[in-house]
Amino acid sequence: GGAPGRNEEMRATTLFLAALLSVLGTTHAFTATAPMAQLRRAHHSPSAQGLPLQPRPRTAGLSLRMATGVAEVSFAVKAAKTGALVYGVLIGAGGISAGVKTGSKPSIISSTVAAVLLAIAYVKGLNVLALITSSLLSVVFAIRFVKTNKIMPAGVLGTISLAFSALFAVAQLGL
């Protein structure tokens, strides 16, 4: 009896990951030229032409060194972007796998929605979306942990969600 259920679980998880990677690959094909356009604009800035720099307000986690014309993104922002992808795959694949195993449609739906939101956050570089998603999941897993008092999955996933929330918050605040 365990093998057919395990095959369904693996098939569902594989299909989810293939669909997520397909969406990410397609979106990157359309957005791959955006950084180059930004760099070209930065190269033609007044500072790159030898004119004095004007003070600019600092945006969260993003700093532009206009004198060299190079866009520089902080480590926290890079880590948060990668974190959104890793966390999205973890939540999506884990939720679908658990949902198929237990027959829980809400688990499959909620994990898929969370994974899609995190994929959007990854593709668009929206740390705030990743922060909101991980924070909401932290609350959901905390409530489940209080109700069930089970370390797995609620305690572990709640802790992981809290850690990713901290990462996304650091990147959003530009610390």
Side-chain angles (χ1 to χ4, degrees), residues 27 69 76 87 145 171:
T27 307
Y87 182 56
F145 180 72

Side-chain angles (χ1 to χ4, degrees), residues 24-167:
L24 292 174
T26 302
T27 307
H28 275 301
F30 292 114
T31 60
T33 57
M36 291 307 295
Q38 291 170 351
L39 289 177
R40 272 188 238 115
R41 278 196 302 268
H43 181 68
H44 296 294
S45 70
S47 62
Q49 298 170 7
L51 300 174
L53 286 174
Q54 296 296 321
R56 292 178 161 242
R58 184 168 184 256
T59 57
L62 181 65
S63 61
L64 294 177
R65 287 195 288 158
M66 301 304 280
T68 61
V70 176
E72 182 181 293
V73 179
S74 74
F75 175 76
V77 171
K78 290 177 189 175
K81 182 170 176 131
T82 303
L85 178 63
V86 169
Y87 182 56
V89 169
L90 176 74
I91 291 295
I96 289 173
S97 175
V100 168
K101 188 175 183 178
T102 63
S104 171
K105 287 184 183 179
S107 177
I108 294 170
I109 293 168
S110 62
S111 64
T112 301
V113 169
V116 167
L117 289 173
L118 290 162
I120 292 168
Y122 170 76
V123 170
K124 302 281 186 181
L126 298 173
N127 289 329
V128 69
L129 180 59
L131 175 60
I132 291 168
T133 304
S134 62
S135 297
L136 289 174
L137 287 173
S138 295
V139 170
V140 167
F141 289 125
I143 291 169
R144 285 187 188 169
F145 180 72
V146 167
K147 285 183 179 180
T148 65
N149 208 22
K150 292 184 179 179
I151 297 293
M152 190 62 186
V156 172
L157 290 175
T159 303
I160 290 170
S161 296
L162 199 56
F164 276 104
S165 294
L167 172 65

